[in-house]
Amino acid sequence: FCTFLRTEGTKEKDIFNFGKVWLFILFAIWVTTSLSGMASGVTSALAALTLASFVASAVFIAVSFNRDERTENAAAVFKRLRDKYGENLDIARGLFVVTCAPILLIYFCFSITNQLIRKTRIFPCSEPVGDSNDIFTTRTRRQIEQMKTWDRVRVYTFAVYWGIFFMVMQVLVAK
């Protein structure tokens, strides 16, 4: 039953196995609550459980590995995802655009504020300014440059499809 937990000891496989166990447990809880017929409050309880599981997983991974190992593991996971799903990542990017656009704009405002504070040198303990001519921090500029490499027409098309899907599901669930 648990043969997928056995690994050859690589860190990347350990992370994927942890994810598999987490998804299996979440699926088992969902099936159990669905079969028991407890329809009232199940959705909100599962949403809270999922959010709590994500937070617990992040804390577990943060405590289990040091910073270099986390960076190495994240790079390996993203490389594997890019190799395996390459062209289909635009679907996930479209979902990101639909769900996180307001949060992204707020993030950009915080980055601009952070850069302005660094330029004025109000706080002597703040980090040095990366590029004095840029309104964004160096990290945000790298993220923007990464987003500029996306096939924006395809990503925005999938974002529209996601929006249509959300609206249709909202109408269907309301009935």
Side-chain angles (χ1 to χ4, degrees), residues 3 33 37 50 57 61 66 69-70 83 88 96 99 102-103 114-115 121 128 133 147 153 161 169 175:
T3 56
T33 55
T50 303
S57 300
I61 290 172
N66 64 27
E69 289 175 331
R70 284 193 305 265
D83 292 343
N88 295 329
F96 172 77
T99 58
I103 296 169
N114 189 359
Q115 186 73 346
R121 301 193 189 279
N133 297 327
M147 284 187 258
V153 172
Y161 291 157
M169 291 306 293
K175 288 186 177 188

Side-chain angles (χ1 to χ4, degrees), residues 95-168:
L95 180 62
F96 172 77
V97 167
V98 167
T99 58
C100 297
I103 296 169
L104 195 62
L105 293 175
I106 293 169
Y107 173 72
F108 288 159
C109 290
F110 279 133
S111 175
I112 292 169
T113 305
N114 189 359
Q115 186 73 346
L116 287 174
I117 289 172
R118 288 179 181 176
K119 284 181 181 179
T120 58
R121 301 193 189 279
I122 294 173
F123 302 111
C125 60
S126 64
E127 294 181 19
V129 179
D131 183 7
S132 60
N133 297 327
D134 199 0
I135 63 169
F136 294 111
T137 60
T138 305
R139 175 181 290 172
T140 304
R141 178 55 63 191
R142 265 189 283 125
Q143 293 165 343
I144 290 171
E145 293 303 321
Q146 179 64 36
M147 284 187 258
K148 284 182 179 179
T149 64
W150 296 354
D151 182 5
R152 288 186 291 278
V153 172
R154 185 175 157 105
V155 170
Y156 293 154
T157 302
F158 282 120
V160 169
Y161 291 157
W162 276 112
I164 292 169
F165 174 75
F166 289 151
M167 290 295 123
V168 168

